[in-house]
Amino acid sequence: MRIAGIGCRPGTPLADLSAALQAAGGADALATIPDRAPEIRPLADALSLPLHLVQVAGIATPTGSPRILALHATGSVAEAAAIAAGGRLTHPRRTFGPVTIAIAEVP
């Protein structure tokens, strides 16, 4: 099962989220932080995918942003969310405009 960890700017439109997920190759489930539920839940609902709302503070990630580290105590919301949802990171974060997606696999 592929889990897409997603980070985005507040207010990111559904069309941008959908395009980013498609560009990342799709997923069987989505994961993000509770603060981004208002943006990500409509995508999960539109695609009938489960949405995992996870805590990411303290999760080590292979890539990182100093800004995200200061805000969320992890280097990448997308990578940390994918890991926290129970996956093994297979594709580090990629940025698609206002959306960042990392892919993890769950056996």
Side-chain angles (χ1 to χ4, degrees), residues 4 11 15 18 20 25-28 31-32 37 42 51 62 64 68 71-73 80-81 97 104:
S18 182
D28 302 304
T32 194
L51 174 60
I68 296 302
L71 289 171
H72 300 287

Side-chain angles (χ1 to χ4, degrees), residues 2-25:
R2 284 173 52 100
I3 297 176
I6 303 177
C8 65
R9 294 186 185 109
T12 297
L14 177 59
D16 289 352
L17 291 161
S18 182
L21 183 61
Q22 183 176 8

